[in-house]
Amino acid sequence: MQDVAPDTAGDGGGSTRAPRKHRVLRWSAATLTVLILAVAGTGYLYYRHLNANIEQDDLNLGDNKVAGPTPNAAGQTPLNILVIGSDARDSKENQELGGARETFGSTPLADVQMLLHLSADRSNLSVVSMPRDTLVKIPKCTDPDDGKVYAASEGRVMTNQSLGHGGPGCTVATWQELTGIRIDHFMMVDFSGVVSMADAIGGVPVCVDANIHSRDSQGHGSGLKLEKGTHPVKGVQALQWLRTRYGFEDGSDLARAKAQHMYMNSMVRELRENATLSSPNKLRKLAEQATRAITVDSGLGTVKKLYDLSNELRKVEPSRITMTTMPNRYVGARVEPTEDAEQLFRLVREDIALDGKDAKKATAQKTAEASATPAAAEDKDEIGVLVQNGTRTDTLAAASGRASTVAGLLVEKGYTKASSDRSASLSEAKTLVRYPSAELESDALAVAKSLGIPTSSVKKSTDVSGVTLVVGADWREGTAYKAAKQDDTTPKTAEALNGADESACMHVNPGFTW
């Protein structure tokens, strides 16, 4: 569902500000950059001269910061990398690949956004793609080059506009505001240099369950033409596969994203298993194109830093790679995250593998978090807490006196500034602790811990001015909160695809077969 507006000829369409032709090239190139460097580790010294190719930009242009995750028992923390595909048309090469002349020099859009989450123990990799038409609130961002301040968006706008608010650091800030996930690094790629990278791969096996020709009577489609079965694609044909929407399943961008995920998983397997890719000349060409195609934050700004990252990524087997798309629903011609999206974000925040294979580790991590002492715990009498009654449901009136009761519990536990808000009658299914800024996050966590409320129920919110506890419908009586058992499975709506699934095959729409 990345593209929700009707296409024009050649699989274009979508946002009126920028044609989408070849948008997937930036997506695959950015991911390929990481993968190439991951398999080229033994040739590190040979690539030192590539440092000059790498462009750098600031990591986070927003004011708000997200606290880092709690280390696991071994002292390890997860690594989150935001991959951004820019539609910039500020060079002749980008213009030729990207679209019409009238778009030259226009404000670039972050048309491809995907989060790579490498687990703390480096056993698994989770990928979350966000549709570019997702409606979000873009926070205030300051351009590091000229100091220009971009005010926070009034209401929700398309997430791809964040790149035009000072650079990739504003896209990072937007992701952090929406997901609560701290971003450690970003990698951004534009059109230039991507086509030659696609050729250099040497062929990636893809599968279709029927003959396909992506072209209709009005000229819509990528032009992809394949016979039923599995075939290696490269060059133009590989690009056609990545662009194809007309002919796959229902013709939506959800189907196109699925095809892209299949391609990327297959490419990972090829890079790891195909011996010809160990050729120094082939790897040198790949690395040249990769480093010229990207902009990164300073934390990844040298070949050595990219090499160190590659060593971490190489620890993950394809069978532990899970690719997903953020669950979403239509809002007019755009989309917004669903409750399942928040579930997906929580799994990433808590470093729970999306393939469901590390339940023991996840439990151990939660135990470690529960035993951790928040920084603000010793200053309980300085923490102001407003308690609201949110026990009203569609069928039940609010339980009387719940805000006062819970506020009293907090006072007994040392939070002497806790008070009840008797004017509010809210409706929340679960008990929540909300806080407005990163500075109050540790206070909110301390309050939650004191009552046995899980950290997943501690949320950042601009709707509150201080630490606010909303007593939900799951705590209508009693003085002890009993959190419901959490569902740590990946939502089906995320369309998860395992990296080792060689049986994956795209379903061809009968209207595009031959």
Side-chain angles (χ1 to χ4, degrees):
M1 289 187 187
Q2 290 176 346
D3 306 324
V4 294
D7 274 1
T8 56
D11 262 7
S15 172
T16 57
R17 296 189 60 184
R20 292 175 294 178
K21 184 177 181 181
H22 298 296
R23 188 174 72 254
V24 294
L25 304 188
R26 287 98 70 197
W27 177 85
S28 56
T31 308
L32 180 59
T33 297
V34 178
L35 299 175
I36 288 170
L37 291 165
V39 298
T42 56
Y44 159 63
L45 293 177
Y46 189 75
Y47 297 118
R48 291 187 65 180
H49 70 283
L50 298 175
N51 282 347
N53 289 348
I54 304 170
E55 294 189 19
Q56 299 183 42
D57 214 326
D58 287 15
L59 175 62
N60 188 348
L61 305 186
D63 292 337
N64 295 329
K65 310 301 178 184
V66 174
T70 302
N72 63 13
Q76 302 165 302
T77 56
L79 190 62
N80 295 308
I81 305 165
L82 185 63
V83 176
I84 304 169
S86 165
D87 76 340
R89 294 173 173 82
D90 52 2
S91 68
K92 180 180 178 181
E93 294 81 5
N94 283 336
Q95 183 65 24
E96 290 177 349
L97 290 168
R101 292 180 180 178
E102 61 268 19
T103 64
F104 184 84
S106 60
T107 302
L109 299 171
D111 271 354
V112 177
Q113 301 174 33
M114 55 192 295
L115 179 69
L116 277 62
H117 172 82
L118 183 61
S119 65
D121 63 5
R122 304 307 188 247
S123 67
N124 63 89
L125 179 71
S126 301
V127 180
V128 179
S129 298
M130 182 187 294
R132 74 186 187 107
D133 290 339
T134 302
L135 295 175
V136 299
K137 291 182 179 179
I138 299 177
K140 184 183 80 171
C141 292
T142 303
D143 191 319
D145 296 327
D146 58 15
K148 180 178 179 180
V149 176
Y150 292 84
S153 63
E154 296 183 6
R156 299 187 303 175
V157 298
M158 285 172 55
T159 184
N160 65 351
Q161 296 180 25
S162 59
L163 186 59
H165 290 220
C170 194
T171 304
V172 168
T174 302
W175 263 78
Q176 291 194 160
E177 289 283 328
L178 176 67
T179 67
I181 300 168
R182 187 182 71 172
I183 308 298
D184 300 293
H185 300 291
F186 76 81
M187 302 181 71
M188 182 175 72
V189 63
D190 59 16
F191 294 109
S192 183
V194 176
V195 173
S196 55
M197 287 175 62
D199 279 325
I201 298 171
V204 173
V206 296
C207 175
V208 288
D209 67 359
N211 296 347
I212 181 175
H213 187 199
S214 178
R215 185 72 69 197
D216 66 11
S217 60
Q218 296 179 318
H220 298 135
S222 68
L224 177 71
K225 190 172 185 178
L226 286 176
E227 293 183 358
K228 177 182 179 179
T230 300
H231 310 275
V233 295
K234 62 180 180 179
V236 173
Q237 199 170 45
L239 304 183
Q240 289 175 334
W241 175 274
L242 293 169
R243 288 180 53 225
T244 295
R245 179 166 102 154
Y246 286 93
F248 284 156
E249 299 187 351
D250 61 357
S252 72
D253 244 25
L254 184 60
R256 176 153 56 187
K258 185 183 295 185
Q260 293 168 3
H261 289 169
M262 287 184 187
Y263 180 93
M264 298 307 299
N265 283 339
S266 182
M267 184 173 65
V268 171
R269 294 193 295 269
E270 287 297 301
L271 287 170
R272 293 177 67 97
E273 298 170 8
N274 191 334
T276 63
L277 290 176
S278 63
S279 162
N281 286 335
K282 185 178 290 271
L283 287 174
R284 179 176 61 183
K285 291 178 181 178
L286 287 169
E288 285 282 356
Q289 296 300 334
T291 53
R292 288 178 180 176
I294 62 172
T295 299
V296 298
D297 65 279
S298 59
L300 294 178
T302 67
V303 171
K304 181 183 184 305
K305 292 175 180 177
L306 289 168
Y307 169 73
D308 291 341
L309 171 62
S310 77
N311 275 341
E312 297 296 286
L313 292 167
R314 292 170 68 193
K315 297 174 183 177
V316 182
E317 296 293 329
S319 62
R320 297 304 311 278
I321 297 174
T322 306
M323 293 195 172
T324 65
T325 298
M326 182 198 78
N328 58 81
R329 58 175 161 249
Y330 283 103
V331 180
R334 308 302 177 199
V335 299
E336 66 180 4
T338 63
E339 293 75 12
D340 282 354
E342 173 51 35
Q343 165 81 343
L344 193 64
F345 298 153
R346 180 183 67 79
L347 296 179
V348 173
R349 285 196 302 268
E350 298 182 6
D351 195 27
I352 298 173
L354 299 186
D355 60 9
K357 295 180 180 179
D358 68 352
K360 291 183 180 180
K361 185 211 72 169
T363 300
Q365 177 73 359
K366 289 179 181 178
T367 301
E369 289 179 354
S371 63
T373 301
E378 66 268 20
D379 301 319
K380 294 179 181 179
D381 59 343
E382 297 298 321
I383 300 175
V385 185
L386 182 66
V387 182
Q388 298 177 329
N389 189 342
T391 59
R392 177 171 50 83
T393 71
D394 291 340
T395 58
L396 297 172
S400 178
R402 292 307 293 162
S404 298
T405 298
V406 175
L409 289 174
L410 287 171
V411 171
E412 291 176 4
K413 293 177 179 293
Y415 295 91
T416 56
K417 292 187 177 181
S419 62
S420 61
D421 179 2
R422 299 182 181 180
S423 64
S425 178
L426 308 177
S427 178
E428 290 288 349
K430 294 196 306 181
T431 297
L432 301 172
V433 180
R434 294 180 171 136
Y435 63 96
S437 62
E439 292 76 14
L440 293 178
E441 181 177 15
S442 59
D443 290 354
L445 288 168
V447 170
K449 182 183 178 183
S450 69
L451 294 174
I453 298 170
T455 57
S456 59
S457 294
V458 179
K459 309 285 187 181
K460 184 177 179 181
S461 172
T462 56
D463 294 331
V464 297
S465 58
V467 177
T468 303
L469 191 158
V470 183
V471 184
D474 60 347
W475 197 10
R476 290 179 58 87
E477 59 184 21
T479 56
Y481 179 72
K482 296 181 180 179
K485 184 178 180 181
Q486 294 190 113
D487 180 6
D488 289 341
T489 59
T490 301
K492 292 183 179 180
T493 52
E495 297 285 341
L497 180 66
N498 185 271
D501 185 359
E502 297 185 42
S503 66
C505 197
M506 287 304 298
H507 174 62
V508 176
N509 186 309
F512 291 84
T513 192
W514 53 278

